């Protein structure tokens, strides 16, 4: 079951052309915004994020619509502006087919992501199903998995992600199924069980071998098992495809552990430059990664501390707190 | 207002050919069972309800002849904040009428109770009349009619209206609606039978080809087994491929239009069908007098065209446009 969906770049091209033909066709702006968000995910380039927001704002100015509200929630989640994401998510919830009383699973999943980003695990828990068996669709099951993982219940999270993957397979959605398998692997890595995580990575690779999330997870498994050179190979292959500064930062850490110091320096410079560019553009989603990069390198530690603290103003989950702790540890 | 954009014949035929060529890519349904359009996401192309009923124009000097009303509602996700509605210019809506198929009302009483009758030759279902509604870049509707004379008086409404579906979660919500009205005798007189089959379709282009929806019977999505209908946009294929009753509204024009013989705006189809799964979700806010197990719409329907209630909270917006086509019938 391989993915045959158009790439984000192809979608950007398609919807841009449709807009050129019909400048008032608001659904095309909605779709363009979502395609730009996917380009931002692929590249960490803040310019794509700005284009995504602009496209959705245009769509909303032409016609108030549910799809753009949902897209705005997704964009702000990616941008780590979780309070904003909640505001858009609640507006989308009210506009969904059954209204706020019976939440749309996609809306609920976005709200869970936002609440977890803010470290509001209990609030997120009120938006997920009561059990894995009660998750009736891909989005409910994956949101439940994310909540279980954030609660430290990794074994149950894996079960929830497996259910999400099963729903995706049932719907022939290879990309989503691969994402769910990769998420299960992440939960197992968080539980320090890399050997089991590898099984899920292999399953994900069979579904969508080229997916960035799958290849990143494979690199994490290699790294967790001490094979830093193998991890570096995977990350550098990804970078040849898309020069994403977040991956550069990971490559720096892997190269350093592999003893490839020259390569590490090169990746450090590219990561620092790219992550800074997003901050310069007014974004906050690279505050944590840049602080982590400095902590890993033992450089610019006072700045790393400021970045990690500033990051906590936006993102207050376990990862954000761990970055601050890592910087503080380095400063001791 | 007379509109000269009404076109017939060749153009309508081309539009139908395009739709036929893309039928394989389509997915379908009514209120919340259109996964492909939800995934795109193109909620604006989702069909929510099709009402088929009759009215006699009220007032001094009006004739007593009945008019047939076709009310097609789309987009179940319109935010409360939307005070107006612009139909996308890439959306095509169609309402199709078969006036040649025979319907029996005695052979299968259960089918008559559930679907309005038994179609004797489901394999032969095909449109004799097609109304194709498209929209220009400003959202203004354009109507193509195939199968009727050019001078038939037709009224068309397109715009934001209160959602007429009498179901708890939909009370207080709006829908994007198209309403067509024309003399009943013009539709019914074209064939030897008093029975009509009516269904609606939508279509929008996408990167992987066009995609759309089909909507007709009020109860279709209320019966889980019938969700299989979603994969087939021709009602005859519901019978041919799936062995199910085709998803059409059956309307015997010799009898009053009331569900399941057609569907009037005041028909509480949720209660009339009594599907346990739908009834279980008819009260999203327990104790709420409007949204808990409603048996009537929370806004009164209009006595005159377009009959659907005005949109919720839309006093400041543009609630839609009315266009009139064909000869002035003085009514």
């Amino acid at each position: 079951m391989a993915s045959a969906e158009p790439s984000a770049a192809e979608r950007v091209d398609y919807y841009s052309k449709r807009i050129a033909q019909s400048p008032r066709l608001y659904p095309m702006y909605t779709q363009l915004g979502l395609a730009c968000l996917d380009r931002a995910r692929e590249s960490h380039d803040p310019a794509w994020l700005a284009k995504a927001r602009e496209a959705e704002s245009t769509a909303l100015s032409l016609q108030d619509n549910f799809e753009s509200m949902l897209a705005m929630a997704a964009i702000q989640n990616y941008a780590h502006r979780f309070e904003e994401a909640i505001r858009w998510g609640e507006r989308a919830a009210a506009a969904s087919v059954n209204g706020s009383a019976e939440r749309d699973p996609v809306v609920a999943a976005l709200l869970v992501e936002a609440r977890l980003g803010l470290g509001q695990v209990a609030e997120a828990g009120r938006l997920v199903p009561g059990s894995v068996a009660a998750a009736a669709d891909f989005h409910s099951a994956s949101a439940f998995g994310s909540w279980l993982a954030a609660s430290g219940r990794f074994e149950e999270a894996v079960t929830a992600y497996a259910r999400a993957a099963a729903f995706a397979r049932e719907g022939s959605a290879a990309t989503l199924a691969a994402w769910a398998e990769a998420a299960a692997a992440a939960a197992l890595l968080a539980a320090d069980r890399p050997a089991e995580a590898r099984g899920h990575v292999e399953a994900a690779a069979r579904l969508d071998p080229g997916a960035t999330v799958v290849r990143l997870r494979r690199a994490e498994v290699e790294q967790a098992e001490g094979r830093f050179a193998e991890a570096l190979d995977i990350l550098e292959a990804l970078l040849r495809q898309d020069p994403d500064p977040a991956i550069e930062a990971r490559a720096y850490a892997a190269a350093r552990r592999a003893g490839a110091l020259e390569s590490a320096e090169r990746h450090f410079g590219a990561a620092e430059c790219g992550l800074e560019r997003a901050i310069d553009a007014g974004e906050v989603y690279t505050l944590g990664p840049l602080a982590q990069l400095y902590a890993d390198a033992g450089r610019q530690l006072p700045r790393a501390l400021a970045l990690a603290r500033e990051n906590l103003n936006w993102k207050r989950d376990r990862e954000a707190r761990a970055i601050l702790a890592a910087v503080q540890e380095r400063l001791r | 207002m007379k509109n000269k954009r009404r076109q017939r014949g060749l153009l309508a035929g081309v539009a139908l050919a395009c739709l036929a060529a893309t039928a394989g890519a389509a997915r379908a349904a009514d209120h919340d069972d259109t996964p492909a359009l939800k995934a795109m996401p193109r909620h604006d192309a989702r069909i929510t309800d099709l009402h088929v009923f009759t009215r006699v124009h009220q007032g001094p000097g009006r004739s007593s002849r009945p008019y047939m009303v076709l009310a097609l509602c789309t987009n179940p996700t319109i935010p409360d904040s939307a005070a107006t509605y612009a139909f996308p210019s890439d959306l095509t809506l169609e309402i199709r009428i078969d006036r040649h198929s025979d319907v029996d009302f005695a052979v299968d009483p259960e089918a008559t109770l559930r679907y309005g009758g038994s179609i004797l030759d489901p394999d032969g279902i095909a449109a004799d009349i097609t109304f194709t509604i498209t929209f220009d870049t400003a959202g203004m509707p354009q109507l193509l009619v195939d199968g009727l004379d050019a001078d038939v008086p037709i009224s068309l409404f397109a715009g934001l209206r209160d959602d007429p579906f009498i179901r708890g979660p939909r009370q207080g919500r709006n829908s994007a609606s198209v309403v067509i009205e024309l003399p009943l005798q013009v539709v019914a007189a074209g064939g030897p039978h008093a029975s009509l089959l009516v269904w609606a379709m939508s279509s929008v282009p996408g990167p992987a080809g066009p995609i759309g929806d089909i909507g007709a019977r009020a109860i279709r999505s209320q019966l889980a087994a019938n969700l299989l209908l979603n994969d087939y946009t021709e009602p005859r294929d519901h019978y041919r491929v799936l062995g199910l009753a085709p998803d059409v509204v059956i309307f015997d024009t010799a009898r009053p239009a009331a569900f399941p013989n057609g569907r009037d705006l005041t028909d509480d189809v949720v209660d009339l069908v009594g599907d346990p799964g739908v009834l279980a979700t008819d009260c999203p806010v327990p104790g709420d007098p409007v949204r808990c197990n409603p048996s009537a719409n929370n806004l009164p329907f209009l006595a005159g065209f377009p009959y659907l209630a005005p949109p919720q909270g839309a006093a400041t917006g543009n609630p839609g446009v009315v266009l009139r086509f064909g000869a002035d019938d003085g009514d």
Side-chain angles (χ1 to χ4, degrees):
Chain A
M1 187 165 72
S3 171
E5 292 162 16
S7 70
E10 287 167 337
R11 284 161 49 223
V12 167
D13 189 46
Y14 174 83
Y15 293 116
S16 298
K17 284 178 181 158
R18 293 285 310 275
I19 287 168
Q21 290 162 0
S22 308
R24 294 188 60 80
L25 191 50
Y26 71 89
M28 298 303 103
Y29 291 95
T30 305
Q31 308 277 359
L32 176 64
L34 289 168
C36 290
L37 174 60
D38 285 345
R39 288 294 289 126
R41 287 187 209 281
E42 289 171 358
S43 65
H44 265 73
D45 184 340
W48 285 113
L49 210 48
K51 285 177 187 170
R53 287 195 191 97
E54 187 188 346
E56 299 305 339
S57 295
T58 305
L60 286 160
S61 70
L62 291 168
Q63 173 67 54
D64 229 358
N65 73 91
F66 167 75
E67 294 92 322
S68 289
M69 291 174 180
L70 210 57
M72 275 297 210
I75 290 165
Q76 299 299 51
N77 267 342
Y78 175 78
H80 293 184
R81 296 181 187 273
F82 298 112
E83 303 275 7
E84 271 292 301
I86 289 169
R87 276 193 280 279
W88 282 111
E90 293 296 354
R91 286 185 67 187
S96 66
V97 175
N98 292 314
S100 300
E102 188 189 320
R103 284 193 190 277
D104 178 290
V106 178
V107 177
L110 286 167
L111 287 168
V112 167
E113 185 182 346
R115 293 285 179 193
L116 292 179
L118 290 171
Q120 298 171 352
V121 178
E123 288 86 342
R126 286 194 276 277
L127 297 164
V128 297
S131 67
V132 172
D137 56 83
F138 170 83
H139 295 285
S140 303
S142 55
F144 193 34
S146 301
W147 178 75
L148 288 165
S151 307
R153 294 161 62 179
F154 300 115
E155 189 71 48
E156 293 164 89
V158 171
T159 312
Y161 287 130
R163 188 166 172 82
F167 280 123
R169 282 193 181 92
E170 223 170 82
S172 302
T175 306
L176 293 181
W179 178 90
E181 291 287 357
L188 288 163
L189 283 168
D192 205 19
R193 291 156 59 181
E196 290 164 79
R198 186 179 289 281
H200 288 276
V201 169
E202 298 302 341
R206 283 193 292 276
L207 291 158
D208 194 358
T212 300
V213 67
V214 175
R215 295 159 75 189
L216 281 177
R217 205 66 76 231
R218 189 186 289 285
E220 288 170 12
V221 170
E222 299 294 358
Q223 206 156 339
E225 293 188 331
R227 284 187 288 276
F228 300 107
E230 285 83 349
L232 183 59
D233 283 346
I234 294 167
L235 294 168
E236 288 187 333
L238 275 168
L239 287 168
R240 282 193 290 278
Q241 190 180 304
D242 242 323
D244 179 339
I247 300 177
E248 294 281 8
R250 288 167 183 250
Y252 164 73
R256 198 159 167 263
R257 300 291 298 272
L261 298 182
E262 199 178 313
S263 168
E265 275 311 302
R266 199 174 60 249
H267 290 305
F268 179 90
E272 183 182 39
C273 177
L275 297 171
E276 283 280 20
R277 192 167 65 236
I279 295 168
D280 290 346
E283 299 293 351
V284 299
Y285 64 92
T286 58
L287 291 169
L290 187 56
Q292 181 71 63
L293 177 72
Y294 287 146
D296 287 344
R299 301 179 199 178
Q300 304 257 32
L301 292 177
R303 171 118 202 276
L305 185 62
L307 289 166
R309 284 182 171 152
E310 171 64 8
N311 188 41
L312 279 177
N313 288 331
W314 303 94
K315 190 169 187 283
R316 293 188 281 278
D317 61 358
R318 184 183 299 193
E319 183 190 35
R321 292 195 303 273
I323 290 171
L324 178 62
V327 175
Q328 287 170 331
E329 179 64 29
R330 274 291 201 167
L331 279 164
R332 277 196 199 108
Chain B
M1 172 180 173
K2 299 285 180 191
N3 187 307
K4 296 187 186 302
R5 281 174 294 193
R6 186 181 184 195
Q7 300 165 63
R8 293 170 185 282
L10 183 62
L11 280 178
V14 170
L16 288 175
C18 292
L19 280 171
T22 60
R27 294 290 182 272
D30 67 63
H31 262 87
D32 196 23
D33 48 2
T34 326
L37 286 170
K38 286 167 76 175
M40 253 176 109
R42 286 298 302 262
H43 297 269
D44 55 279
R46 295 169 63 192
I47 291 172
T48 57
D49 284 295
L50 176 63
H51 290 82
V52 179
F53 55 96
T54 57
R55 288 289 185 273
V56 173
H57 290 175
Q58 306 292 320
R62 296 293 183 91
S63 73
S64 59
R65 66 176 171 175
Y67 283 76
M68 182 179 193
V69 184
L70 306 162
L72 174 61
C73 297
T74 64
N75 196 349
T77 61
I78 299 174
D80 292 347
S81 50
T84 188
Y85 190 79
F87 285 90
S89 58
D90 64 345
L91 171 68
T92 300
L93 299 174
E94 287 192 343
I95 301 176
R96 297 179 175 187
I97 300 176
D98 169 324
R99 56 177 176 180
H100 65 267
S101 289
D102 286 322
V103 180
D104 189 288
F105 305 100
V107 66
D108 184 349
E110 193 186 328
T112 300
L113 198 63
R114 178 173 285 188
Y115 305 130
S118 300
I119 301 163
L120 296 181
D121 179 20
D123 218 7
I125 297 173
D128 300 301
I129 302 168
T130 301
F131 301 95
T132 302
I133 305 103
T134 54
F135 304 89
D136 67 16
T137 53
M140 283 291 285
Q142 301 176 68
L143 176 67
L144 281 76
V145 184
D146 193 31
L148 290 177
D149 290 338
D151 59 352
V152 170
I154 298 176
S155 298
L156 170 73
F157 167 86
L160 192 66
R161 294 278 102 179
D162 166 64
D163 186 336
F165 191 23
I166 302 171
R167 180 166 181 257
R170 299 304 302 171
Q171 292 299 291
R173 300 294 303 274
N174 287 329
S175 68
S177 306
V178 167
V179 185
I180 288 174
E181 183 181 58
L182 70 169
L184 177 61
Q185 64 180 32
V186 171
V187 183
H193 312 289
S195 299
L196 304 174
L197 311 181
V198 188
W199 68 101
M201 300 173 73
S202 69
S203 177
V204 287
I211 196 157
D213 194 359
I214 176 170
R217 287 202 298 267
I219 58 167
R220 184 177 46 134
S221 68
Q222 298 167 351
L223 301 170
N226 281 1
L227 292 181
L228 287 169
L229 296 175
N230 295 353
D231 289 339
Y232 300 91
T233 55
E234 288 296 333
R236 61 173 173 263
D237 288 337
H238 303 159
Y239 168 77
R240 274 184 189 164
V241 183
L242 301 169
L244 295 170
D247 183 14
V248 295
V249 174
I250 295 174
F251 176 35
D252 172 19
T253 60
R255 293 184 292 134
F259 183 83
N261 184 50
R263 180 184 176 190
D264 207 335
L265 296 172
T266 51
D267 292 333
D268 178 7
V269 294
V270 170
D271 283 357
L272 288 167
V273 172
D275 177 70
V278 178
L279 286 171
T281 58
D282 201 26
C283 180
V285 187
D288 184 324
V290 172
R291 293 204 289 160
C292 188
N293 298 319
S295 57
N297 197 37
N298 70 315
L299 291 181
F301 295 114
L302 302 179
F305 189 78
Y307 306 108
L308 297 171
Q312 307 271 346
T316 58
N318 173 9
V321 294
V322 174
L323 304 176
R324 306 218 186 261
F325 304 94
D328 185 350
D329 66 348
D331 207 17

